[in-house]
Amino acid sequence: MAFLKKLFEQQKDDTGFRPAPFETGYFGTVKADPNFNAQNDAAKLKKAIETKGVDEATIVEVIAKRSNAQRQQIKAAYQQSAGKATRSEDRNIDDGMAKSDAKALFEAGENRIGTVCSVLIDILTNRSEAQLCKILQYYGQFSKDGLAKDLEGELSGNFEDCLMTLVKSALNKHAYFAERLKLAMKGLGTDTDTLTRILVSRSEIDLLKIMQEYKRMYGKSLQEDLLKETKGDYEKIVLALCGTP
């Protein structure tokens, strides 16, 4: 009983932990916009993305100050107005379109002040891998540095990372994955999630090619680095996925 008495006495101490009073109401930090219009917000986002250098302030204003339910409506409205980020699976190459797209990419970025991101997104996410490869070849006629280098100078953050992934993959998919594997084992600690995802997903597709690129790029086999950076049963599994050295 003395313990219960002491426990209840402690509730009077405003400086320590105490049971919260029962309250009703909304205590979140983001509330639904009472004047919400999905089509208007979608149009604002589209304009913000297409403006020179991207209007980040407007994007934050719209996304951060709408409820999750409202964001989903904005997403649907945006996709309906802009058309939905669907990659062609056509293996045939349109040479004329490749030249035109290469010029459009150059004029949208390196050849102007500010970058028209909608052009980059449209071309890099909708063209087939074979078509993208041809586009990047023609891009070299407009820029001595190449698209990957140009993007580094024009963009930043997660947006740059996303587009760089598309460009590097189109230039040399096997080298791209080899680089990802190397980065996953660089520095303190190993990014086992990335290692597992790549090794498992590519083991029945092109892991042999990736391993060849890895050795060409870094002067040692992938298995050598895996032996240094992994151990135990996990090491045995990833080495088994790589097959014979």
Side-chain angles (χ1 to χ4, degrees), residues 78-143:
Y78 186 93
Q79 291 179 338
Q80 185 176 11
S81 64
K84 186 178 179 182
T86 303
R87 184 178 297 285
S88 170
E89 298 297 328
D90 190 358
R91 293 182 176 275
N92 296 318
I93 296 176
D94 187 325
D95 200 68
M97 179 182 285
K99 291 180 181 178
S100 177
D101 282 346
K103 183 178 180 181
L105 286 173
F106 180 71
E107 292 180 345
E110 186 66 9
N111 199 39
R112 65 182 299 159
I113 299 175
T115 301
V116 182
C117 297
S118 60
V119 175
L120 299 177
I121 294 171
D122 178 56
I123 294 175
L124 295 178
T125 62
N126 285 291
R127 304 300 185 264
S128 69
E129 291 184 357
Q131 187 71 17
L132 263 182
C133 190
K134 179 60 70 173
I135 291 170
L136 296 177
Q137 290 176 16
Y138 280 122
Y139 187 89
Q141 296 180 2
F142 300 97
S143 169

Side-chain angles (χ1 to χ4, degrees), residues 226-227 229-240:
L226 288 173
L227 281 169
E229 300 296 332
T230 61
K231 59 183 178 180
D233 291 335
Y234 182 76
E235 176 188 284
K236 295 176 183 177
I237 292 173
V238 293
L239 288 175

